Amino acid sequence: MVARLTRTAPPARAARHRGRPNAIRQLKAARAVTAKTKIAIACQGGGSQTAFTAGALKALCEAQVADEFEIVSMSGTSGGAVCAVLVWHALERGEPRPWQQLIDFWQDNSAKGWAEIAFNQLLVDSVRMINSGLLPTFQLSPPRRSRSR
């Protein structure tokens, strides 16, 4: 005697909700309400842009953006990358004030003594004078190497 085994397909979702015409729509609506919109944050770097980035990330954290959105990624360039990694690390650890480590880092690395402050001001003023055309810029190409055959 040979027994034939047949597989039956599991009941479709709609079949499980017979007699409840709006059940599927209600399930989808419930999922939509609980699902957070996924976002990625890219942080720019470079001098004063990094300071802006740090302030913007602090404001986002204070507004509890992670409660409304799912932050799936944070990245950045130069100082923006430092900002991104500090906030991401704090968010992953579930710290109550994820921006605090970021602000502490930049305060620890800011100019404090008179020499640091004077040198910083000299650099800022020099760049401003170059950008306004008061100081010349020099563009030098690397020296060419002679090819010997």
Side-chain angles (χ1 to χ4, degrees), residues 10 25 41 67 72 76 95 122 130 137:
R25 238 181 277 138
I41 299 174
D67 292 348
V72 296
E95 294 185 13
L122 173 69
I130 289 169
T137 58

Side-chain angles (χ1 to χ4, degrees), residues 27-135:
L27 283 173
K28 288 181 181 178
R31 285 186 195 138
V33 168
T34 59
K36 293 180 181 179
T37 301
K38 294 180 180 182
I39 62 169
I41 299 174
C43 304
Q44 68 184 40
S48 60
Q49 286 92 356
T50 300
F52 174 81
T53 297
L57 287 174
K58 181 182 178 199
L60 287 171
C61 290
E62 287 176 331
Q64 299 175 337
V65 70
D67 292 348
E68 186 176 343
F69 299 97
E70 179 184 354
I71 302 172
V72 296
S73 175
M74 289 184 77
S75 64
T77 302
S78 189
V82 173
C83 292
V85 75
L86 290 170
V87 171
W88 181 263
H89 181 254
L91 287 170
E92 286 294 306
R93 292 182 56 182
E95 294 185 13
R97 297 187 329 170
W99 51 266
Q100 189 62 55
Q101 187 176 2
L102 170 68
I103 299 304
D104 290 345
F105 175 84
W106 289 115
Q107 284 180 345
D108 289 345
N109 288 287
S110 63
K112 291 187 178 49
W114 69 268
E116 292 174 342
I117 293 170
F119 183 69
N120 188 50
Q121 192 61 51
L122 173 69
L123 291 176
V124 169
D125 290 342
S126 298
V127 169
R128 285 184 179 152
M129 290 192 317
I130 289 169
N131 289 341
S132 67
L134 296 174
L135 283 178

